[in-house]
Amino acid sequence: MASKRRGLIALGTALLVASFGAYACQSGSTGGVGAGDMMSAAEAVYVPPGEYDEFYAFMSGGFSGNLTVMGLPSGRLLRTVPVFSQYPENGWGYAEETKAMLNTSYGFVPWDDAHHPELSMTDGVPDGRWIFINGNNTPRVARVDLNTFETTEILEIPNSAGNHGSPFITPDSKYIVASTRFSVPVPNRDMSIEEYRGNFKGTLSFVRADQPGEMDVAFQVLMPGYDYDLAHAGKGPSMGWMFFTSYNSEEEHTLLEINASRRDKDFIAAVNYERAEECIAAGAGEMMPANYAHNYMDDRHIAVTDMKSSVLVIEPSDCSDLVYFLPTPKSPHGVDVDPSGEYIAAGGKLATVIPVHSFSKMIAAIEAEDFEEVIDGIPVLTYESVLAGEVANAGLGPLHTEFDGEGYAYTTAFISSEIVKWEIGTWQVVDRIPVYYSVGHLMIPGGDSQDPDGKYLVALNKITKDRYLPTGPELAHSAQLIDISGDRMRLLLDFPTQGEPHYAQGIAAEKLMDGDQVQFYSLTENHHPYAATSEAEARVEREGNEVHVYMTSIRSHFTPDNIEGVRVGDRVFFHVTNLEQDWDVPHGFAALGANTAELLIMPGQTRTLVWEPKEPGIYPFYCTDFCSALHQEMQGYIRVSPQGAAVPLRWGTGGEWNTN
């Protein structure tokens, strides 16, 4: 074992030297990496104790279903925001007040695959009001309020299967979009899968997003049965357009890795959503029956579900000049619009170049009717007529591009595991840096907006292998922080991520800290129907076999902390109100035998845990969140008697009992 360990150490040392050699090569150094180079990188990411990071990074949690918040440049985890998955740390999806946020037309769905966070914008610039994120498996989009860092709204997307290309936002936050990854019959129905071609359809959904609590599908565009992948909105001259990638223009239904890669080019769908608004106002489109859920937190901090029954669907043939196809090699994945709004870069997974389309050339081709063909009423523009240029030698497997605001673009190459920097206009590669390992998305704070910050780049890698200490068959995925402030990119930091990160968004911390960050909820504005906003209001009431405990918590006791008269077969509702009115003093609540998660109750808030005793006995409950020096003393007991017992219902704190 000792010799094996020495061999592994030697191998690790060799890999470390090789990694540093690659670092030295890409950073322009001609020799090995010295202590000064490593110290420089360490200094660049060091945030001294008590000081704040410069940027918030919002990272998709992938199959965790959540959103993680990290600081840059430190890479420190600041917060996990539960969105589509039950989260036992704070009771999201377990507490009675939050369960309805996970309702869908398929029932209660407490998981999803969250891919693409998108910050709200004003005039094309991230403004820090909200961040949106998609659920891929059960098509959903969610709003997170950045005053509270809590999910406040989730909308299911009808007529969709695989909500991958979302929730990309317009520069004015009027719409977020949601495109179909898997085309299906619309409306969905029983038919042979072999009848796919011509019968399965995709939808591009435009969701009104600028009014909190009122998200809904404004309209859907019915499209050919391709796989629609990602999207980005136009800006500046291209404002009013949304660009979607698509692949499987072969309309195949099996072995897509072979059958959906036969064509030399697939398409970017350019959708003029302002034209759609005009056509709809003139009567175009059809209301189609649909069953989908809209969940939102109301002013009582209680989730409400409204079921919707119809959606407006418009076809390109019903609205001239609505959709155009831009031919794009090959199986395009990402589509990204530069800060000027003139250039549309695509990432063809199997392409040898990065094609960059020109918006002005696109408009000229439309006006000249320079079409290769028309598919289902959608003109296909001539490739050469809309092309601004091709970036050659851009790595293998180009996927996604972001911009630094200084005239440069950065593209991930999945197969060759690198970031490639190229110049807008000349289309020449000017720098490249290896990453570890297969890189998917990348993020520059504001890099998809009209005003990128352009200081850092985060590479979101799919595999880590030897980057961290081994943790069994599964390792955390990896993010790498790269300095892009100079002519040459410079690797600064590796840091692990939660779940499988896909996309991320970054924003200067000062934009959020200067806002209306909520530190606690005012008790005077607590409108929860079961709130007890003072200890004098604490009580226990029986309604048949339901027992409602109106409980308060404050450092360091519950009121009441002794309860008797509960019987086997009862359903006990612990409605716990946190009476604190100070920042960062939550209280927790858990009870022995509860088959749900704890509650974590923010100051001034009320949350409910349902407990169903199965056997007679004495059961403790306690505060789960360390709140004071006497946190351990913050506990209580509930007595459970046999079913039908005549033990009176009573409760108390400090030895004094109360009864109804």
Side-chain angles (χ1 to χ4, degrees):
M1 286 299 292
S3 61
K4 181 178 179 182
R5 190 178 303 113
R6 285 194 296 270
L8 289 172
I9 292 171
L11 176 60
T13 302
L15 290 169
L16 186 63
V17 170
S19 297
F20 279 144
Y23 171 88
C25 179
Q26 60 83 21
S27 64
S29 173
T30 57
V33 175
D37 296 312
M38 289 185 284
M39 183 61 70
S40 174
E43 289 174 344
V45 301
Y46 180 64
V47 178
E51 294 192 13
Y52 294 145
D53 278 283
E54 185 177 357
F55 293 95
Y56 284 94
F58 296 92
M59 319 277 279
S60 69
F63 41 61
S64 78
N66 298 326
L67 180 73
T68 56
V69 187
M70 308 187 87
L72 295 182
S74 73
R76 298 180 296 193
L77 176 65
L78 304 177
R79 178 81 180 270
T80 297
V81 180
V83 183
F84 300 112
S85 294
Q86 287 179 301
Y87 192 61
E89 182 176 306
N90 65 6
W92 175 261
Y94 293 98
E96 295 301 298
E97 289 81 3
T98 61
K99 284 181 180 177
M101 291 296 285
L102 302 178
N103 287 340
T104 75
S105 62
Y106 303 94
F108 179 74
V109 181
W111 173 84
D112 221 310
D113 188 15
H115 281 210
H116 303 120
E118 275 284 298
L119 286 160
S120 58
M121 293 190 185
T122 299
D123 297 328
V125 179
D127 56 28
R129 290 179 293 166
W130 316 300
I131 191 162
F132 301 89
I133 192 166
N134 64 319
N136 187 22
N137 186 59
T138 304
R140 288 177 280 185
V141 291
R143 182 198 310 269
V144 175
D145 186 336
L146 292 182
N147 287 330
T148 60
F149 282 66
E150 294 177 351
T151 303
T152 57
E153 194 170 8
I154 297 178
L155 177 72
E156 187 180 1
I157 306 298
N159 294 331
S160 180
N163 177 42
H164 187 249
S166 72
F168 299 98
I169 198 163
T170 58
D172 56 2
S173 298
K174 183 176 183 179
Y175 295 117
I176 55 175
V177 298
S179 60
T180 300
R181 177 179 175 183
F182 312 112
S183 287
V184 293
V186 178
N188 210 347
R189 58 195 181 277
D190 178 26
M191 64 183 304
S192 173
I193 299 171
E194 293 180 333
E195 298 179 60
Y196 182 115
R197 189 174 293 116
N199 292 309
F200 286 29
K201 298 293 182 181
T203 56
L204 308 178
S205 301
F206 286 76
V207 176
R208 282 300 298 260
D210 51 356
Q211 295 298 320
E214 299 179 13
M215 282 202 304
D216 200 1
V217 179
F219 60 91
Q220 295 182 314
V221 181
L222 193 65
M223 298 289 288
Y226 308 158
D227 290 42
Y228 296 88
D229 208 355
L230 291 174
H232 264 104
K235 58 195 71 152
S238 54
M239 176 72 177
W241 290 78
M242 184 69 71
F243 302 93
F244 300 84
T245 51
S246 66
Y247 60 98
N248 191 23
S249 53
E250 296 86 351
E251 294 190 75
E252 292 290 349
H253 58 80
T254 185
L255 280 180
L256 264 62
E257 64 185 72
I258 299 171
N259 294 324
S261 302
R262 290 176 295 151
R263 290 176 59 113
D264 181 57
K265 294 182 179 68
D266 291 285
F267 303 116
I268 289 175
V271 179
N272 186 339
Y273 59 85
E274 291 183 346
R275 175 61 180 153
E277 293 172 337
E278 294 174 352
C279 290
I280 291 168
E286 176 186 357
M287 294 303 298
M288 180 179 291
N291 184 32
Y292 61 105
H294 175 224
N295 310 317
Y296 61 94
M297 299 296 292
D298 66 12
D299 61 0
R300 304 170 301 168
H301 294 203
I302 297 175
V304 176
T305 297
D306 288 336
M307 295 303 300
K308 307 284 187 176
S309 60
S310 63
V311 64
L312 179 62
V313 178
I314 185 170
E315 298 192 43
S317 58
D318 296 334
C319 181
S320 63
D321 303 313
L322 175 60
V323 184
Y324 294 90
F325 279 147
L326 282 60
T328 303
K330 181 172 192 204
S331 296
H333 187 52
V335 56
D336 302 279
V337 182
D338 86 308
S340 75
E342 168 62 17
Y343 298 113
I344 304 125
K349 299 189 291 288
L350 304 177
T352 58
V353 298
I354 301 171
V356 183
H357 300 296
S358 161
F359 179 74
S360 58
K361 286 187 174 184
M362 185 192 87
I363 295 300
I366 291 171
E367 292 175 348
E369 298 186 358
D370 188 358
F371 306 149
E372 291 183 358
E373 58 179 320
V374 177
I375 300 175
D376 290 354
I378 301 172
V380 179
L381 303 178
T382 303
Y383 179 68
E384 293 77 10
S385 298
V386 299
L387 190 69
E390 293 178 335
V391 181
N393 193 28
L396 301 177
L399 293 185
H400 300 283
T401 299
E402 294 227 332
F403 306 91
D404 65 5
E406 301 296 330
Y408 295 99
Y410 303 75
T411 299
T412 57
F414 182 83
I415 297 172
S416 53
S417 298
E418 59 183 327
I419 305 289
V420 178
K421 177 181 178 181
W422 48 274
E423 187 174 23
I424 299 171
T426 69
W427 322 121
Q428 298 298 306
V429 173
V430 297
D431 193 20
R432 58 203 320 135
I433 185 173
V435 293
Y436 305 89
Y437 282 76
S438 300
V439 60
H441 281 275
L442 75 166
M443 180 272 281
I444 296 170
D448 64 346
S449 76
Q450 290 180 213
D451 187 21
D453 286 285
K455 184 173 183 179
Y456 298 116
L457 181 153
V458 178
L460 299 166
N461 304 333
K462 297 299 184 185
I463 305 170
T464 57
K465 291 193 185 298
D466 54 341
R467 303 306 287 177
Y468 310 121
L469 291 172
T471 55
E474 183 185 15
L475 288 83
H477 288 256
S478 173
Q480 292 187 296
L481 181 68
I482 296 169
D483 180 356
I484 60 170
S485 61
D487 291 336
R488 306 297 299 272
M489 292 180 281
R490 185 166 68 114
L491 177 61
L492 298 178
L493 181 69
D494 282 9
F495 58 97
T497 60
Q498 291 188 325
E500 182 198 6
H502 288 260
Y503 190 37
Q505 291 268 274
I507 189 171
E510 62 185 18
K511 285 192 175 182
L512 294 187
M513 294 175 66
D514 290 344
D516 298 321
Q517 285 271 308
V518 173
Q519 297 182 341
F520 60 88
Y521 298 103
S522 172
L523 281 171
T524 60
E525 298 175 6
N526 184 330
H527 303 301
H528 194 289
Y530 291 96
T533 58
S534 70
E535 291 189 358
E537 296 177 5
R539 61 197 186 278
V540 181
E541 296 178 350
R542 175 178 288 281
E543 299 174 9
N545 70 332
E546 290 186 356
V547 176
H548 291 268
V549 180
Y550 295 73
M551 180 178 284
T552 64
S553 62
I554 197 167
R555 287 167 286 187
S556 293
H557 64 272
F558 293 104
T559 302
D561 64 4
N562 283 193
I563 302 170
E564 294 188 352
V566 172
R567 301 187 288 261
V568 172
D570 284 343
R571 299 187 74 221
V572 182
F573 293 76
F574 288 98
H575 309 289
V576 186
T577 301
N578 183 346
L579 297 183
E580 308 286 353
Q581 293 289 266
D582 193 8
W583 190 22
D584 195 27
V585 190
H587 287 295
F589 180 85
L592 176 63
N595 56 4
T596 186
E598 66 157 354
L599 299 177
L600 197 61
I601 312 110
M602 297 302 108
Q605 194 175 56
T606 302
R607 284 284 182 261
T608 301
L609 181 145
V610 176
W611 184 71
E612 299 184 47
K614 301 295 191 296
E615 299 288 341
I618 303 297
Y619 294 84
F621 54 83
Y622 69 103
C623 176
T624 56
D625 191 280
F626 203 98
C627 53
S628 73
L630 297 176
H631 165 73
Q632 288 292 102
E633 283 75 13
M634 192 168 176
Q635 65 180 53
Y637 292 102
I638 183 168
R639 173 187 173 186
V640 176
S641 300
Q643 192 169 18
V647 176
L649 187 67
R650 62 176 188 161
W651 64 95
T653 305
E656 296 184 5
W657 292 94
N658 299 281
T659 60
N660 283 328

